[in-house]
Amino acid sequence: MLTINSTIISGAGAIPAIAPLLAGKTRLLLVTDGNIARLDAARAIRALLEDDNRSVSVIDNVPPEPTHHDVHALLAEINETAFDLVVGVGGGSVLDVAKLLSVLCHPASPGLDALLAGEKPNERLASLLIPASAGTGSEATPNAILAIPEQNTKIGIISPVLLPDYVALLPELTTSMPPHIASSTGIDALCHLIECFTATVANPVSDNAALIGLRKLLNNIETACAEPQNLAAKLEMLWASYYGGVAIAHAGTHLVHALSYPLGGKYHLPHGVANAILLAPCMRVVRPDAVEKFAQVWDLVPGADTTLSAEEKSHALVDWFAVLVRRLNLPDNLETLGVPRSDIASLSDAALNVKRLMNNAPRQVSHAEVQGIYQTLFPGI
């Protein structure tokens, strides 16, 4: 069983609590993106990092949905400077890149191409991850995901070595997220939680994390999206996202993520948006094989009718997911996002090739069923 040993600080006003984590560190690498770097909270974090005459090198151009080419370019930009702490401040893409750089900047690193080919790292530099969105849970997972444009998909580099030394959950960093970003990242966290809870590899540890995260998420996602300055709801969403990462670390996602990978790899759809579109259709397919667990989750939905039978609860949950995506004003079809319906067959081929995830689904899903899911996302089919 994987052990997560990260030290966690959290709460509104907790930025100064980062200072003790920096003791003895002199050369830092800060990994972020341009939008996050301009936030007041991010500037306060950078000022804290630069205190006590520490040297801080900054990468602030991590792109959304980064490719392996992007990481090679960032490595060239760093030019093999030695660091004793890598700090990632941003969304899932930033945190994944920060995790990879904590490995790749270590002198014992096997190199990015070797990692993509399946070689496992044994060492990394010390790392501190600070999520600026409540979605990926990257700060709690042993995964780093990169797009591989040549294959129109994504690849996950997975190793316990990627887990960070320190995590900071700071709600002030998430208050500036536009509503559509808060919504899509929140649905991403929901997908992590429900998929891990229903995966073939689910276990008591992942189930416990998933249920804690689901309770926090289902009770706070709409408030956090509608009230961006509500620090209590924002912190609950950060914890929900973190527990989603813990669930991934001990189990794994399945159908939603397998079908979303080709959409991100080929069409560069934001990961949370792709997951939101796929959530209800995928859950509808696996529902017959996850009735009891869906019923447990239904009982966590605010205002849910808990007198229903387990079968009725499982149907109600899938319907509620579809309504939630609409209430959060997220897209519900692929054609408006520039995906041609003529690509359904190739998308299905690519999704079924993500065997690491497809094997986690609570039922074996056929090519025709995968095509059927994609078809529901095009009006008039």
Side-chain angles (χ1 to χ4, degrees), residues 102-122:
S102 74
V103 168
L104 295 169
C105 290
H106 191 283
S109 171
L112 180 57
D113 292 338
L115 294 177
L116 289 169
E119 188 171 342
K120 300 298 183 183
N122 294 313

Side-chain angles (χ1 to χ4, degrees), residues 2 4 99 129 137-142 163-164 167 241-246 249:
L2 179 66
I4 300 176
K99 289 195 288 189
L129 299 183
S138 177
E139 68 279 3
T141 76
L163 288 164
V167 171
S241 177
Y242 179 85
Y243 277 110
V246 173

Side-chain angles (χ1 to χ4, degrees), residues 40-242:
D40 289 343
R43 289 174 174 170
I45 292 169
R46 179 170 176 175
L48 188 62
L49 299 180
E50 292 174 338
D51 201 7
D52 293 336
N53 295 315
R54 281 183 287 265
S55 170
V56 180
S57 299
V58 179
I59 290 175
D60 60 5
N61 57 343
V62 176
E65 313 294 330
T67 70
H68 59 121
H69 301 299
D70 295 321
V71 175
H72 277 301
L74 293 175
L75 280 170
E77 185 178 324
I78 295 169
N79 197 26
E80 299 185 4
T81 303
F83 305 104
D84 48 23
L85 180 68
V86 176
V87 182
V89 183
S93 294
V94 167
L95 299 189
D96 280 6
V97 168
K99 289 195 288 189
L100 284 174
L101 292 179
S102 74
V103 168
L104 295 169
C105 290
H106 191 283
S109 171
L112 180 57
D113 292 338
L115 294 177
L116 289 169
E119 188 171 342
K120 300 298 183 183
N122 294 313
E123 302 285 349
R124 63 160 170 77
L125 305 178
S127 60
L128 162 63
L129 299 183
I130 308 175
S133 65
T136 70
S138 177
E139 68 279 3
T141 76
N143 306 353
I145 310 299
L146 292 180
I148 310 296
E150 296 84 357
Q151 300 174 21
N152 293 326
T153 190
K154 297 181 179 181
I155 286 181
I157 297 169
I158 304 171
S159 169
V161 172
L162 292 173
L163 288 164
D165 297 279
Y166 312 112
V167 171
L169 304 178
L170 310 171
E172 294 91 341
L173 268 175
T174 70
T175 59
S176 298
M177 279 192 297
H180 71 283
I181 300 295
S183 298
S184 63
T185 55
I187 293 293
D188 186 24
L190 174 55
C191 291
H192 295 160
L193 292 161
I194 190 65
E195 287 180 271
C196 289
F197 189 52
T198 55
T200 57
V201 289
N203 55 76
V205 175
S206 62
D207 282 358
N208 186 55
L211 287 171
I212 294 172
L214 283 163
R215 185 181 297 277
K216 290 178 178 297
L217 187 144
L218 298 176
N219 282 280
N220 289 280
I221 184 170
E222 292 187 83
T223 300
C225 292
E227 302 173 19
Q229 299 303 316
N230 189 323
L231 294 181
K234 291 289 190 179
L235 182 58
E236 286 291 276
M237 285 299 295
L238 280 171
W239 274 111
S241 177
Y242 179 85

